[in-house]
Amino acid sequence: MDDRKYGWLTTAVLAFVLTLIFVFPTGKALAARPIKVGLIDAYSGGAAAFTKPALVAWRIVVDEFNAKGGLHGRKMEIITRDTKFKPEQAVSDARELILKDRVDFLAGTISSGCALAVSQFAKTKKKLFIVHIARSARITGEKGNGYVFRGCPDTDIEGGAGGAYAATKPYHSWYIIGDDYEYGHAIAENFWKGLVKNKPDVVKVAEVWAKLKETDYTPYLTALMAKKPDAVYAAFGAADLISFTKQAKLFGLFEKVPVFEYALGDSIFPAVLKQNMPVGAYGGINYLWYYPDNAANKAFVERYREVSKKEGHPDLYPSGLGSFGGYCSAKFLTEAILKADSVKTDKVIKALEGLTIQTALGPIQMRACDHQAVTPTFWGETANVPGYPFPVLKNIVMTSGDKVIPSCEEIAGERKKAK
Amino acid sequence: MSLDLSMLLVQFISGLTTAMVLFLLASGLTLVFGVMNVINFAHGAFYMLGAYLAFTITQMLSGSLGFWAALVIAPTVVCVVGGIVEVGLLRRIYDKEHLLQILLTYALIFIFNDLIKMIWGVNLRMVNLPPSLKGFVTFLGRRFPVYYFFILGVGTSVAILLWLLLKKSRFGKLLRASAEHRDMVGLLGYNVRTVFTLVFMMATWLGGLAGAVIAPTVRISMGMGMEIIIECFIVVIVGGLGNVLGALLGALLAGELYAFGILLMPNYAMAFLFIFAAVIIIFRPYGLLGKTAQGVS
């Protein structure tokens, strides 16, 4: 054999081997290419108290999905990005996740501002985006679009349920105080609407808005107590809820006036507030780890404890804001993928519309018209109950979502007006 | 709404407590500007550090003892950190323009934020009220927490001590002299560099003290320094840059304006403060007690 012939042979063999490497296994790799979910959220800063429990809940659902073989052997994978609570960052994260990591779906965020920004971006990129913590009603209301879903409640549901609950109490004059921010205004407005609807003779003594991240509520508290209202509705987002509650407790507000605070019933707040957690206040939340006291909820709590420990973030009490919202959103997505038998955006969207998932609280439906999950809300009085590590809710009242959620026609009207 | 006397009094005290916290912070800010001619954006970071240290100390020592220990140790540690920052960084840029100083001190905020993230993590922290300062003071049929009177006491003591230090002590004379005739003080054989280091340490001590004092009433989180520093700058500008007495006056005005704004027109309370600041800046750009030429007084 001369050198030239030898060279041809080498080339042929090389070409054959290369073909094997590139074509054959690629086909196989394609079949097993994971389903990627880009989870965009604020993981640094105080928000981590909510976003990390939500991530644990995503792991529970994803592990379960993968253990059952995924979608025809395709496993699901979560890629996280830290928005640092900034909408611009959230959008650039979303862009990178789509272009570089080639994610199939987007999920997030705790911030309503980020959620609104990403939902506009998702629409232009035709990617499905599921919101798991952010509450602004506009996300699935006037600013909603065909690509955005929400697996957690919004301010319409939570505010309305709070109002309906408060209407059953004998308080006539109300003082409203809250964050001068989208969330505060939205939840207070829906609370008032719900209250007036069920009890038309109530009076609003005052409506006061403190700046976001206010550190000193002293003058607000003294001014509030001077007005002597029958009851107070406090509409604060997570971080300010902590500051306000702590200082209100210092001032003895809870002993003087009945105070209603949505989210105060969540497990996160007593864990942070400790001895500053008030008793005898009215608190609400979308999920309670101890109620309903049934097998499904117990199993969920057990599983959550296990996975959070495995994730290096041991947490005994799954929260409503973080864990349960994350759980429902992840569950909606995986169930829809299985139902659609595809990861194609349009097919999964179709499967999600009207989909009902089974949760620790029973079935929860994703409404087809606005892509908002119809979730229940729980309200009760905070109390020290023997056997619990911190004050929990007692005399719990559940309001189902369909009683308080705005109708599809109302949402359609809002969207039309916004255009 | 009937504006009875007790209500007004309670609101007035409410405003005083706000004012005292602002003063504790603003005094350090104005001192550094007056003597060293440096705008210290990072002042809030030292305040934040004080609060976090108070958290750690009260975690290690429970009860009232932990709180008193925190009140002594936290500002001291902060003041040592302040000394290191002055010697290591600030000292190099005194003769540079203000813009560079702002860049450096602004960068320090981010560095401190990340350091705090590394040491304490991102979770929200709480300091409990010391048992010995729990309870209420009742007057004219209204209650006010004891702890806020404690804040008033600390603020007043600091104001008096600072005044004595600046007006009556030899060190105070040296400070005032350094502010106005830096070179002359050097020629007279004093070490101006050491004076500057001491002033910066004093200012950061005040910042740390403010953090430790406020700790039991707030949620301790990253960025808490930034949240309050803007109001402190307003206080300093209204009072007159570099003027400690001005800072006290500015803080009192800001605190009361805020408190009565909330009582009467709650949704414009913030605006009152800024409008007031704007009026001062237009008609007395050097502040209420400031002189056209800056200096500590």
Side-chain angles (χ1 to χ4, degrees):
Chain A
M1 241 191 281
D2 62 312
D3 279 359
R4 212 162 148 188
K5 214 170 174 184
Y6 206 56
W8 275 112
L9 193 66
T10 321
T11 316
V13 171
L14 212 70
F16 182 66
V17 171
L18 282 177
T19 316
L20 277 183
I21 292 172
F22 281 105
V23 180
F24 197 59
T26 315
K28 214 172 166 187
L30 243 176
R33 184 183 169 265
I35 304 167
K36 291 185 183 173
V37 179
L39 193 51
I40 307 164
D41 226 327
Y43 290 107
S44 52
F50 304 91
T51 54
K52 285 201 175 146
L55 183 58
V56 169
W58 273 86
R59 296 266 184 239
I60 295 175
V61 177
V62 170
D63 285 355
E64 201 180 275
F65 176 80
N66 290 342
K68 283 184 187 156
L71 180 72
H72 305 303
R74 289 184 66 181
K75 303 270 167 86
M76 186 177 274
E77 193 183 299
I78 303 171
I79 305 170
T80 58
R81 283 283 185 284
D82 186 5
T83 63
K84 301 186 177 71
F85 227 87
K86 293 181 185 132
E88 322 83 72
Q89 182 66 41
V91 170
S92 88
D93 287 340
R95 183 177 292 120
E96 196 187 273
L97 283 164
I98 292 173
L99 296 177
K100 213 180 112 212
D101 297 292
R102 301 182 158 274
V103 297
D104 301 285
F105 305 101
L106 291 171
T109 66
I110 185 166
S111 139
S112 289
C114 291
L116 284 167
V118 175
S119 70
Q120 291 310 307
F121 181 73
K123 187 183 163 192
T124 60
K125 291 284 166 197
K126 298 192 177 357
K127 279 277 174 210
L128 193 159
F129 172 49
I130 186 155
V131 179
H132 69 168
I133 308 179
R135 292 300 203 251
S136 167
R138 287 161 67 205
I139 297 168
T140 47
E142 58 169 271
K143 298 258 179 188
N145 68 58
Y147 293 89
V148 181
F149 289 81
R150 172 156 45 196
C152 64
D154 68 351
T155 46
D156 278 340
I157 294 177
E158 291 175 336
Y165 173 75
T168 64
K169 304 288 171 197
Y171 309 123
H172 177 67
S173 65
W174 288 81
Y175 193 102
I176 292 179
I177 180 165
D179 271 334
D180 199 1
Y181 186 61
E182 163 126 13
Y183 172 79
H185 282 276
I187 196 159
E189 189 191 316
N190 286 301
F191 169 83
W192 191 249
K193 261 197 250 163
L195 180 59
V196 172
K197 199 171 111 191
N198 292 289
K199 199 177 181 182
D201 65 330
V202 286
V203 222
K204 203 189 281 179
V205 184
E207 195 179 288
V208 177
W209 304 104
K211 78 168 198 287
L212 194 65
K213 294 190 177 175
E214 175 62 83
T215 44
D216 180 15
Y217 291 99
T218 315
Y220 288 96
L221 288 163
T222 44
L224 185 162
M225 283 152 103
K227 288 260 188 181
K228 298 200 169 93
D230 290 346
V232 175
Y233 183 72
F236 291 99
D240 289 346
L241 183 88
I242 292 171
S243 306
F244 176 80
T245 306
K246 189 174 184 187
Q247 286 170 22
K249 169 106 174 161
L250 251 165
F251 268 85
L253 180 71
F254 299 100
E255 297 141 40
K256 290 208 144 183
V257 195
V259 182
F260 290 68
E261 285 182 80
Y262 179 75
L264 192 65
D266 202 9
S267 60
I268 284 174
F269 297 103
V272 179
L273 283 163
K274 298 211 171 75
Q275 46 173 281
N276 297 297
M277 177 75 190
V279 275
Y282 294 96
I285 196 61
N286 61 321
Y287 167 81
L288 295 164
W289 57 275
Y290 48 86
Y291 184 91
D293 191 13
N294 59 22
N297 201 7
K298 277 193 181 121
F300 174 69
V301 174
E302 214 36 61
R303 183 88 186 106
Y304 178 81
R305 289 177 176 174
E306 229 171 82
V307 176
S308 70
K309 206 170 159 191
K310 208 174 75 194
E311 291 287 311
H313 179 258
D315 183 8
L316 291 176
Y317 313 107
S319 79
L321 293 172
S323 323
F324 196 69
Y327 180 85
C328 292
S329 306
K331 193 83 180 159
F332 272 121
L333 183 62
T334 53
E335 295 281 310
I337 290 170
L338 290 174
K339 186 178 154 197
D341 196 30
S342 164
V343 290
K344 288 222 170 75
T345 303
D346 52 340
K347 286 189 177 159
V348 177
I349 287 176
K350 225 180 188 133
L352 253 174
E353 291 177 339
L355 180 72
T356 300
I357 54 164
Q358 294 304 322
T359 73
L361 304 180
I364 292 179
Q365 200 198 20
M366 179 63 76
R367 201 158 71 159
C369 70
D370 61 347
H371 295 180
Q372 171 61 48
V374 187
T375 62
T377 308
F378 303 87
W379 274 85
E381 293 148 51
T382 60
N384 282 308
V385 178
Y388 292 99
F390 42 69
V392 291
L393 298 186
K394 64 167 193 189
N395 304 331
I396 297 165
V397 175
M398 190 195 91
T399 310
S400 70
D402 50 9
K403 289 219 176 85
V404 286
I405 195 167
S407 69
C408 286
E409 291 73 41
E410 283 173 77
I411 298 288
E414 273 176 33
R415 289 192 184 175
K416 212 168 172 183
K417 220 167 71 189
K419 264 180 190 165
Chain B
M1 180 175 59
S2 62
L3 288 171
D4 62 283
L5 189 69
S6 66
M7 182 202 294
L8 293 177
L9 187 64
V10 165
Q11 204 62 14
F12 178 74
I13 296 170
S14 209
L16 277 187
T17 63
T18 308
M20 281 308 152
V21 175
L22 285 175
F23 169 68
L24 283 180
L25 276 165
S27 57
L29 209 57
T30 210
L31 207 58
V32 166
F33 184 82
V35 178
M36 300 159 66
N37 200 17
V38 166
I39 297 170
N40 182 19
F41 263 101
H43 198 61
F46 292 101
Y47 156 81
M48 172 171 66
L49 187 62
Y52 271 95
L53 285 167
F55 165 76
T56 302
I57 297 162
T58 50
Q59 287 298 102
M60 292 193 299
L61 289 166
S62 62
S64 295
L65 181 69
F67 175 75
W68 298 112
L71 212 56
V72 176
I73 299 170
T76 313
V77 175
V78 172
C79 134
V80 171
V81 175
I84 295 169
V85 167
E86 200 277 337
V87 173
L89 298 168
L90 276 183
R91 183 170 279 191
R92 287 151 218 282
I93 55 152
Y94 288 142
D95 45 356
K96 301 275 176 12
E97 49 191 312
H98 275 314
L99 187 65
L100 283 178
Q101 296 174 358
I102 291 171
L103 273 178
L104 176 68
T105 54
Y106 199 70
L108 278 174
I109 296 172
F110 292 102
I111 294 169
F112 272 93
N113 271 348
D114 274 358
L115 279 178
I116 279 177
K117 206 195 290 181
M118 280 157 70
I119 301 171
W120 282 280
V122 294
N123 290 339
L124 296 171
R125 305 290 184 182
M126 286 275 166
V127 171
N128 288 319
L129 213 56
S132 49
L133 291 174
K134 270 188 180 157
F136 297 92
V137 177
T138 310
F139 55 94
L140 299 171
R142 291 179 193 272
R143 301 194 306 170
F144 212 84
V146 171
Y147 192 78
Y148 285 87
F149 284 101
F150 170 73
I151 294 180
L152 286 183
V154 172
T156 314
S157 315
V158 165
I160 293 171
L161 287 175
L162 264 180
W163 184 78
L164 284 177
L165 184 78
L166 288 174
K167 290 284 174 187
K168 303 283 168 195
S169 78
R170 199 180 158 76
F171 182 66
K173 277 184 193 154
L174 194 59
L175 282 194
R176 283 182 285 151
S178 309
E180 292 187 26
H181 300 287
R182 204 178 286 193
D183 299 336
M184 194 49 145
V185 172
L187 284 176
L188 286 171
Y190 292 100
N191 190 342
V192 181
R193 287 184 128 192
T194 316
V195 172
F196 279 18
T197 310
L198 286 175
V199 167
F200 196 74
M201 286 175 78
M202 219 164 90
T204 47
W205 184 84
L206 286 167
L209 180 71
V213 167
I214 200 86
T217 70
V218 295
R219 111 193 99 86
I220 298 168
S221 61
M222 259 181 14
M224 65 184 281
M226 272 316 268
E227 287 154 22
I228 198 165
I229 207 72
I230 302 294
E231 281 149 61
C232 288
F233 269 108
I234 290 188
V235 162
V236 167
I237 290 165
V238 165
L241 268 169
N243 191 310
V244 175
L245 204 61
L248 181 62
L249 183 67
L252 288 173
L253 284 170
E256 293 305 340
L257 208 60
Y258 197 41
F260 283 99
I262 286 167
L263 187 68
L264 303 171
M265 293 175 82
N267 295 331
Y268 302 98
M270 252 349 243
F272 284 147
L273 182 59
F274 284 92
I275 291 168
F276 178 65
V279 170
I280 294 286
I281 290 167
I282 292 167
F283 294 104
R284 263 189 90 89
Y286 35 88
L288 288 173
L289 296 185
K291 285 175 276 178
T292 32
Q294 67 187 38
V296 173
S297 46

